[in-house]
Amino acid sequence: MELKIEDSWKNVLKEEFEKPYFEELRQFVAHEYEHQRCFPPEEEIFAAFQHCSFSEVKVVILGQDPYHGQGQANGLCFSVHDGIKHPPSLVNIFKELTVDTNQLYPASGDLSSWASQGVLLLNATLTVREGEAGSHQRKGWEQFTDAVIAKLSEEKEGLVFMLWGGYAKKKGRKIATSKHTVLEAGHPSPLSANRGFWFGNKHFSSANRALEQRNLSPIQW
């Protein structure tokens, strides 16, 4: 597994990359990609860190697993490449976005434009086997992404963390709420959204208000 990651992240996470668990994780992922069909494509495993440098992070959205269907995952949580049918969770994200910000439903499911503005689209687990949700959990990814969240919380101020669903909320316990804005809602999956835990959260407008209060430019969602 090649560490295709932007230089500022390499510096911040240098100690993490040198820990024994991370070497074990690299070996596990390399073996899985050699013997199984896994997603996202190997060159996109660290896409979230390639599109958004440590210094530019303003908003963090936490996902769980990459999409496990053919052609879906692109290394940014909830995102798919142009031309790929929008998965149900992304559909619900865009439905909330259109109501909250009074804009048209986006044609593209590629969220790299968000990432380029400082939105870190981070899955807790960065890889998965085809058709097997959660298949790469408890192999080291969670420890790595916990460290990412801790570094962001410790070394930066005024970030907006958008925690969607119980899993993301638990992962967000490492965030210093005294100096960061934490927005919580149910998961955008149909199971949660249709039970009333997603729609109406207004996270997109709330995130921009929090940024503007700190004299930071809002995200063009």
Side-chain angles (χ1 to χ4, degrees):
M1 178 177 70
E2 186 178 352
L3 273 176
K4 289 190 173 181
I5 190 168
E6 194 269 336
D7 285 344
S8 66
W9 284 108
K10 286 183 180 177
N11 294 331
V12 169
L13 299 171
K14 182 176 183 295
E15 293 181 4
E16 215 61 30
F17 295 141
E18 295 172 351
K19 292 180 179 178
Y21 88 87
F22 194 83
E23 180 55 34
E24 292 175 9
L25 173 63
R26 289 182 70 157
Q27 292 177 13
F28 166 77
V29 171
H31 183 270
E32 283 285 289
Y33 272 73
E34 183 177 353
H35 297 283
Q36 305 286 339
R37 176 173 284 183
C38 298
F39 304 123
E42 197 163 0
E43 65 273 13
E44 293 181 325
I45 292 175
F46 292 99
F49 302 92
Q50 296 167 12
H51 285 278
C52 182
S53 70
F54 183 80
S55 61
E56 293 172 338
V57 176
K58 297 192 292 188
V59 177
V60 181
I61 298 178
L62 290 179
Q64 190 166 343
D65 265 6
Y67 296 125
H68 53 81
Q70 175 66 38
Q72 291 181 312
N74 66 5
L76 306 175
C77 72
F78 299 108
S79 175
V80 294
H81 284 304
D82 282 341
I84 301 298
K85 181 181 178 181
H86 298 178
S89 291
L90 183 58
V91 170
N92 286 337
I93 289 169
F94 282 167
K95 284 180 177 178
E96 174 62 23
L97 174 67
T98 60
V99 174
D100 185 19
T101 64
N102 194 31
Q103 66 184 60
L104 295 175
Y105 184 98
S108 172
D110 186 349
L111 305 182
S112 60
S113 63
W114 294 4
S116 65
Q117 298 176 73
V119 181
L120 182 67
L121 295 159
L122 181 66
N123 276 315
T125 304
L126 300 191
T127 56
V128 69
R129 279 189 191 180
E130 181 179 28
E132 297 184 39
S135 51
H136 288 186
Q137 291 178 1
R138 296 178 293 279
K139 301 297 183 182
W141 280 129
E142 293 91 343
Q143 185 174 345
F144 172 69
T145 51
D146 276 351
V148 171
I149 294 167
K151 284 289 187 182
L152 288 165
S153 179
E154 293 165 7
E155 299 190 18
K156 297 180 75 71
E157 291 189 12
L159 298 181
V160 179
F161 288 86
M162 300 163 78
L163 310 181
W164 299 341
Y167 192 88
K169 292 173 187 176
K170 288 178 183 177
K171 214 163 168 63
R173 290 174 182 167
K174 295 183 177 293
I175 301 166
T177 55
S178 59
K179 61 176 182 173
H180 301 292
T181 299
V182 177
L183 305 174
E184 296 186 349
H187 196 275
S189 67
L191 180 63
S192 174
N194 293 339
R195 292 166 58 198
F197 299 127
W198 168 254
F199 293 114
N201 63 62
K202 299 187 183 299
H203 276 194
F204 301 101
S205 59
S206 296
N208 278 348
R209 278 197 301 275
L211 293 174
E212 289 171 331
Q213 287 169 1
R214 294 180 178 268
N215 296 317
L216 297 171
S217 58
I219 305 299
Q220 301 298 313
W221 300 107

